[in-house]
């Protein structure tokens, strides 16, 4: 139970605690933070710095979205391209701003380039929920709020939403 209703079920719409708390049950991030704020594997089983401006993330094998589709590097690329395009009162783009290029290196490999050294990238990515690229271009927040686009890899699925009343997962 959260103390306030989520502003949206779009996991990239609003950096508001109730929205993030609800999203975290249905969607996952590449990197997790443990209780001591140390970075832990999430959807990425590992990551490493290839050079001063290139991070390589290897995705966990066998992860599937709620619709049965496998998680791939294309989903990560799609998500990182979508985040800055979402019109929001408090954008998640702050967490993707350092990324200047995304390269898919295979189904489970994604490389992220920054303008220079940026050691905080894994920490930033712990705040970006990954979506399936099959949602398509320009999926609106209203599709999440209606339940149509709520497709994640998290342990729970959306069952019902009554805005400002109840969200059942």
């Amino acid at each position: 139970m959260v103390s306030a209703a989520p502003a949206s079920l779009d996991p990239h719409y609003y950096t508001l605690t109730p929205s993030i708390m609800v999203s975290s049950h249905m969607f996952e991030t590449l990197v997790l933070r443990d209780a001591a704020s140390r970075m832990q594997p999430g959807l990425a089983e590992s990551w490493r710095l290839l050079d001063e401006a290139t991070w390589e993330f290897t995705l966990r094998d066998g992860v599937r979205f709620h619709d049965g589709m496998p998680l791939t590097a294309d989903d990560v690329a799609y998500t990182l391209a979508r985040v800055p395009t979402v019109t929001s009162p408090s954008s998640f783009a702050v967490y993707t701003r350092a990324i200047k290029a995304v390269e898919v290196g295979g189904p489970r490999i994604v490389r992220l380039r920054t303008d220079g050294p940026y050691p905080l990238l894994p920490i930033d990515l712990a705040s970006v929920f990954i979506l399936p690229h099959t949602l398509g271009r320009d999926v609106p927040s209203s599709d999440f709020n209606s339940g149509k686009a709520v497709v994640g890899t998290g342990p729970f699925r959306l069952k019902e939403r009554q805005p400002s009343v109840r969200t059942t997962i």
Side-chain angles (χ1 to χ4, degrees):
M1 176 170 273
V2 293
S3 61
S8 176
L9 294 184
D10 181 338
H12 304 143
Y13 177 70
Y14 200 3
T15 59
L16 184 69
T17 300
S19 297
I20 293 167
M21 289 175 65
V22 170
S23 290
S24 70
H25 293 291
M26 298 178 286
F27 304 96
E28 295 177 287
T29 59
L30 292 175
V31 179
L32 302 173
R33 280 184 235 162
D34 68 13
S37 290
R38 291 179 299 236
M39 298 297 99
Q40 301 294 324
L43 292 175
E45 67 182 24
S46 64
W47 55 93
R48 64 188 177 125
L49 199 55
L50 296 180
D51 59 46
E52 72 177 24
T54 309
W55 287 89
E56 182 177 85
F57 289 80
T58 301
L59 302 179
R60 281 188 359 232
D61 193 23
V63 176
R64 295 202 172 271
F65 286 97
H66 298 151
D67 64 1
M69 296 300 295
L71 169 73
T72 69
D74 289 329
D75 302 310
V76 176
Y78 167 83
T79 297
L80 296 175
R82 180 184 188 268
V83 167
T85 70
V86 176
T87 303
S88 165
S90 179
S91 176
F92 279 79
V94 66
Y95 302 117
T96 62
R97 192 167 290 139
I99 300 168
K100 301 305 176 194
V102 178
E103 174 190 329
V104 172
R108 293 181 50 225
I109 303 292
V110 64
R111 294 182 193 95
L112 308 177
R113 298 190 199 292
T114 60
D115 274 341
Y118 190 71
L120 300 177
L121 190 61
I123 293 167
D124 287 353
L125 294 176
S127 296
V128 178
F129 295 106
I130 303 301
L131 299 175
H133 72 278
T134 54
L135 292 177
R137 284 189 57 142
D138 304 320
V139 62
S141 292
S142 60
D143 280 2
F144 288 90
N145 293 331
S146 71
K148 177 181 175 185
V150 179
V151 181
T153 58
F156 297 96
R157 298 177 191 217
L158 178 67
K159 181 176 180 181
E160 174 191 22
R161 177 155 195 253
Q162 297 172 1
S164 299
V165 176
R166 175 180 27 247
T167 301
T168 306
I169 55 174

